[in-house]
Amino acid sequence: MQDREPNVATSDTDSAFVVFDRVQKSYDGETLVVKDLNLSIGKGEFLTMLGPSGSGKTTCLMMLAGFETATHGEILLDGRPINNIPPHKRGIGMVFQNYALFPHMTVNENLAFPLEVRGMGKDEREAKVKRALEMVQMGEFGNRRPAQLSGGQQQRIALARALVFDPALVLMDEPLGALDKQLREHMQYEIKHLHENLGITVVYVTHDQSEALTMSDRVAVFDDGIIQQLAPPAELYEQPQNSFVAQFIGENNKLSGKVIALDGDIATVQLDDGETCTALAVNCGGVGSDTLISVRPERVSVAAQGGPNSTSATVQELIYLGDHIRCRLTVHGNDEFVVKVPNSAGHSHLSVGETTQVSWLAQDARALDAG
Amino acid sequence: MADISAPLTTADGKPLKAALASAQARARRRAFFLVLPLLAFVLLTFVAPIAQMLHRSVHNPGFTTHTDIGSGEKTPIMVNLRAWFKENPPGTEPDEAAYEALVKDLVVLRELKAPGSVGTRINYERAGSRSMFTKAARRAEKLEPPYKEAMLDLDEDWADPELWQVMRGASSAYTFNFYLAALDLARDADGSIVSVDENRQVYVKLFTRTLLLSLLITFLCFLLAYPIAHLLATLPLRHSNLLMIFVLLPFWTSLLVRTTSWIVLLQSQGVVNDTLVATGILDDDSRIQMIYNQTGTIIAMTHILLPFMVLPLYSVMRPINPSYVRAARSLGATSWTAFRRIYFPQTVPGIGAGALLVFILAVGYYITPALVGGANGQLISNLIAFHMTKSLNWSLAAALAAILLGGILVLYWLYDRLVGIDNLKLG
Ligand SMILES: Nc1ncnc2c1ncn2[C@@H]1O[C@H](COP(=O)(O)OP(=O)(O)OP(=O)(O)O)[C@@H](O)[C@H]1O
Ligand SMILES: [Mg+2]
């Protein structure tokens, strides 16, 4: 994890490898699918675009690959604007959501294709194809057709094909979407591994947040054509900047209310049930504005008498999960309030219907926009 | 280890294979009864006529059996002459015995009122024979020996060795002579196969023309249909539906209407020529002849057969995911290379299906060439129709049709060898 640092620091446009500069995109001239996208990606970085369906992730990738043109703004690759470079000259490897392996060619022919169109000699081609196949552990499958491969195998071939011509930038559009959970986790690891070994820049699209968190150097959370937050995974989870991100990444308890006082970066919020609590003022506006407080379940302590923000809670449901117990409580009128109680020695035993006390630090409660 | 070689059995000890077979037999029987009506229909309307046609192409009893139109009674005819042919090998000079047999047979013919039909049978292969038969039969009863002289007095042509060869050929009801005729061949006086006079060779030339024109029409259909099908497959549904209607419109219009509208367009006083003259591109005297010749046949048939090419192409193009071409482009291929290497190969099954369909339809096309083909735009099927309806030489028509059928089967076989029939995709 430590070796990520050099990649992340590239927020300045000069040293960035890929830059989206005020890019907008509209398909129909009526609605903007991508609204004012500014993003710079450092060389060797693994950047993930994460967002719900229809948020414009694929569109961004297609603009970068050259299959869609930006309606406004500029995209720079290695300092050069690429708006006028045709797709085949961009030298970008791409893994498609459906793999797009050529069905009438064998695996070997599929992999040789990018080398062939670059005019590479036969011997060199064969050597590279072989190496690429071994890289994804598919050495024996060279003579098969794509239809004779399983989904996971096809995925590896698609990956090998996108890498075989040594592109500096590889785009992947939900490459693991069609795989089962176990295979997906295995492939996540392999892709990550290849990224580290080859030193390529990867722009990765997914709507699976755990995939985004485990693989990426930085994650861009998309919604509604806008980057809601661009940050390393830990920061994204610990310090969401708005309620969409807080909701979208990880589990989250929300309490809505109104800001009644601001003291430095601590806001006092009057909740809907009339009680007040304190929270970190992140993105809540001034006194009088509506806000949504976000608290992570693992930051709430149960049965701690007299702590900060202490309030009473009624236990609604208990789910035993081995290492911890998931409690659903009613807190400040919100009966979807979830708390994770560690299954440690001497923890308090709760029972359904019981009333107990919960509390959390003001620093762990983030007052965000009202969403 | 021992039980591996022992046959598997079901729970009650019956061998598994037998149990499976009896279980499937019932289903198979039921399936057979379900298709039985269809099978009978196909046999009756498709297999039987083809079999009958093939039979007729090698069988013509016009010189051996007379069928009375009223009673349907069959009488053997030309008995004496046929006996003479059997005794004497081909090439024998007809002697007095031969003429005597001929005269006796002609007397019988006259009684049966059959000289005309027998003469027609000989006339198929030697023009001018029919009148010789009717004339000779009328006088036959009064002829005195020596018969040879008497017959030659009636008509010098009775000594023509070709006539005797034709009669010998016709003396057996089963003959391959119609196939010879269909290939511009004939038997000379010795019975060996030679090609007919240059000015009577029509069929081979017509077969060749049919083949070449059909190939050309298939190719033109492909050239026109490929972009149309591509457009159909890639346009948004809203537009492609409209375009599809335009493609199918010819299907829903009567063939005659379509062909006639080409006449209106293309004739020398037609819309196209008028426009060209009016815009000054052409002189009034140099109007282009675009119809009642091969050009007319090519244009009209290409138009009519176009949907048969568009639809199979469309059906293979529609499911081709655009991401294939995108993938090729991202891998460094120019749009032309991506088309040639990635898109085109995936459409080959559709091209094969469309080409086969159009070609087979074109080879047998009849009405359009008949209407707009003029003299040099006729195809082989027009000649088959001529022999069916005008010259009434059904055996020759059947032989021509059988050769056409054989040719198509050969092409189909070749296609299977080269492309593979399981690659065919019609929709
Ligand atoms: N070719 C197109 N023409 C018109 N609208 C399009 C086109 N492609 C995408 N859109 C619209 O643009 C929006 C963003 O689409 P995009 O494919 O970028 O979403 P996405 O974030 O990749 O979603 P998903 O996670 O489902 O793949 C959607 O509302 C979609 O309907
Ligand atoms: Mg997408």
Side-chain angles (χ1 to χ4, degrees), chain B residues 373-389:
Chain B
N376 64 0
Q378 301 292 308
L379 301 182
I380 195 71
S381 27
N382 299 106
L383 220 66
I384 295 177
F386 169 78
H387 284 305
M388 295 288 293
T389 58

Side-chain angles (χ1 to χ4, degrees), chain B residues 360-378:
Chain B
I360 288 175
L361 284 173
V363 159
Y365 230 70
Y366 157 69
I367 190 149
T368 305
L371 288 175
V372 302
N376 64 0
Q378 301 292 308

Side-chain angles (χ1 to χ4, degrees), chain A residues 57-58 97 173-174 205:
Chain A
K57 308 178 298 284
T58 301
Q97 195 159 2
D173 190 358
E174 294 184 38
V205 164

Side-chain angles (χ1 to χ4, degrees), chain B residues 259-271:
Chain B
T259 310
T260 336
S261 56
W262 277 115
I263 298 177
V264 172
L265 280 172
L266 296 180
Q267 63 190 339
S268 51
Q269 301 299 322
V271 178

Side-chain angles (χ1 to χ4, degrees), chain A residues 67 88 98 104 116 118, chain B residues 321 324 326 329 331 333 341:
Chain A
F67 301 122
H88 66 278
N98 60 357
H104 59 294
E116 227 170 287
R118 284 174 169 75
Chain B
N321 197 314
Y324 289 128
R326 287 184 164 184
R329 300 271 283 145
L331 293 171
R341 297 278 314 276

Side-chain angles (χ1 to χ4, degrees), chain A residues 27 33 52-59 97 174 207:
Chain A
Y27 283 107
V33 171
S53 198
S55 56
K57 308 178 298 284
T58 301
T59 305
Q97 195 159 2
E174 294 184 38
H207 54 227

Side-chain angles (χ1 to χ4, degrees), chain A residues 13 15 25-27 37 43 45-46 70 75 80 124 136 153 156 159 210 237 241 245 296 304 341 358:
Chain A
T13 311
S15 62
K25 172 71 186 175
S26 169
Y27 283 107
L37 176 70
K43 209 172 177 80
E45 185 174 359
F46 195 118
I75 303 172
R80 285 177 306 146
E124 198 181 349
V136 293
Q153 291 167 336
R156 286 167 198 231
L159 189 61
S210 75
Y237 185 81
Q241 289 304 311
V245 177
R296 297 285 181 201
V341 181
V358 293

